[in-house]
Amino acid sequence: MRLARPWPLRELARDLRQGRTTPEAASKRASARIAETEADLHAWVERTAFLPGVGGPLGGVPLGVKDIIDLAGVPTRCGSVLRADIAPATSDAAIVTAWRAAGAVPLGKTVTTEFAFFAPGTTRNPAAPGHTPGGSSSGSAAAVASGQVPLALGSQTAGSVTRPASYCGVASLVMSHGRYPVTGVTGLSPSLDSHGVFAATVSDLAIAWSALTADPGLEPRPPRILVWSADALDVVEAPMRQAVTQAAKRLREAGATVSAFLDERLMADLTDAHPVVMAYEAARERAAELAVAERLSAPLAQLLRTGAATSFDEYESARATIADGAARLAEVFDSCDVVLGPAAPGAAPRGLKATGNPVLSRGWQALGLPVIALPGFTDPAGLPLGLQLVGRRGGEAELLGHACWAERVLAGDSW
């Protein structure tokens, strides 16, 4: 059985809109695919009964919800033994309310790593069996990659959306920090936590975004691109480096203006500042869990203890580095529309005991910028390689327009 078989949102949304299918039929299709694949994938924590939506442009599209996000009537267990017996949430998180208003119908909760940090959950990678699906939104990425649902919610504090999308071969959008409230979300770091969403393709993400925001978006067009090599971080593997180079070449040939992103030191500094802020804020946000650190996984316990030992001056210094970086990046975006770079060091690492390295997302996440993971490349073994496109803060619609254009070019479609 083929596990990687994404369900295009575009086709389903069209069929729902034109009456060729119904929300009930879409839910049954999702349930059938889950029944067919879940024993191999373990993407879900808990399923919910189908409840008709309230209308909206998505009109009954099945939705997965990461299990740090409240869904009324379902416990938010956050992948932790500490929450094994927690009572069901009494209301939806604000972001779930927004997606329901757009017409999406939650089908249940998807697996997360422990409190959205590094301890792996149970999920397998449908595109690369035996390799990690990434973290922490692993269940949502796998649910979309396998076609269990066409849309699923995630969250990103370091690389928890971009990395699993790249590893599982699907598209994702990390929203600008603060774009929607995080009410009802169990977070780690208030100044870094951002909402995310997964779909089969970038064009599917654009449909979902337009439904969520009522913004029709921009017409796809050739952008001005800066290519970030990430050389200063010294982690990018040869196949990923080749994918970025090939993409830049093909986009230039199709009409984009392509130049090199030269301020490698800036991204290295931001990458160093990110974990300081994350640890300091996590120790305070998750103080109750820190008090029982012996019951946490070793990586999470270490994060919280490191954060507790971080001084306010160290935290403020890291925040100042990020503020300076934001000002410098604003000047960079005066001369470009998007930054193109590797979404992860390479393909998904073999094994299920770790979730891979988020280092290539840390700098961008520190700045709170919107990021799209663009699927389509593979390494010599056929494993997915995702690229990332970074846009201006608050510029999701613009970023999606440029990413749709890039997706079509890289797929070989003509304009």
Side-chain angles (χ1 to χ4, degrees), residues 317-329:
S317 176
R319 295 269 292 173
T321 296
I322 293 170
D324 176 67
R328 291 162 63 183
L329 252 297

Side-chain angles (χ1 to χ4, degrees), residues 310-391:
T310 300
S311 71
F312 182 71
D313 285 347
E314 291 170 319
Y315 171 67
E316 283 294 282
S317 176
R319 295 269 292 173
T321 296
I322 293 170
D324 176 67
R328 291 162 63 183
L329 252 297
E331 294 178 2
V332 169
F333 274 108
D334 286 340
S335 61
C336 79
D337 298 309
V338 298
V339 175
L340 168 70
R350 181 174 291 280
L352 301 171
K353 295 183 178 179
T355 62
N357 189 345
V359 66
L360 296 177
S361 292
R362 287 188 184 277
W364 306 113
Q365 194 64 22
L367 298 172
L369 302 179
V371 177
I372 286 174
L374 177 64
F377 285 86
T378 57
D379 75 354
L383 303 180
L385 294 173
L387 309 183
Q388 61 178 330
L389 288 168
V390 185

Side-chain angles (χ1 to χ4, degrees), residues 105-336:
V105 177
L107 293 190
K109 307 295 285 290
T110 55
V111 170
T112 176
T113 59
E114 181 194 31
F115 287 104
F117 199 54
F118 276 118
T122 57
T123 303
R124 302 320 194 231
N125 187 334
H131 296 246
T132 177
S136 62
S137 307
S138 51
S140 289
V144 168
S146 63
Q148 294 179 337
V149 287
L151 198 64
L153 306 188
S155 68
Q156 178 154 302
T157 307
S160 297
V161 170
T162 304
R163 183 167 89 264
S166 177
Y167 288 171
C168 293
V170 295
S172 68
L173 168 66
V174 179
M175 300 179 195
S176 300
H177 178 74
R179 186 64 174 77
Y180 279 88
V182 292
T183 308
V185 179
T186 303
L188 262 185
S189 175
S191 66
L192 298 172
D193 296 338
S194 297
H195 292 296
V197 60
F198 297 87
T201 66
V202 175
S203 63
D204 289 336
L205 291 174
I207 291 170
W209 184 255
S210 293
L212 181 67
T213 63
D215 184 340
L218 298 180
E219 283 296 316
R221 58 184 172 82
R224 299 170 297 167
I225 300 172
L226 291 184
V227 179
W228 177 51
S229 68
D231 283 347
L233 302 181
D234 197 26
V235 297
V236 181
E237 299 167 10
M240 179 64 85
R241 190 180 306 282
Q242 185 176 10
V244 173
T245 300
Q246 286 183 356
K249 178 175 182 292
R250 289 162 61 182
L251 296 173
R252 179 189 293 111
E253 291 171 349
T257 301
V258 179
S259 308
F261 181 93
L262 298 176
D263 202 343
E264 291 281 348
R265 187 67 252 164
L266 167 62
M267 293 312 301
D269 290 344
L270 290 167
T271 301
D272 290 342
H274 174 279
V276 178
V277 172
M278 183 176 178
Y280 182 92
E281 294 188 358
R284 286 143 186 87
E285 188 77 359
R286 302 266 61 86
E289 287 75 22
L290 175 60
V292 291
E294 70 280 1
R295 298 185 63 193
L296 303 175
S297 67
L300 181 58
Q302 183 60 45
L303 172 76
L304 300 185
R305 287 167 176 152
T306 298
T310 300
S311 71
F312 182 71
D313 285 347
E314 291 170 319
Y315 171 67
E316 283 294 282
S317 176
R319 295 269 292 173
T321 296
I322 293 170
D324 176 67
R328 291 162 63 183
L329 252 297
E331 294 178 2
V332 169
F333 274 108
D334 286 340
S335 61
C336 79

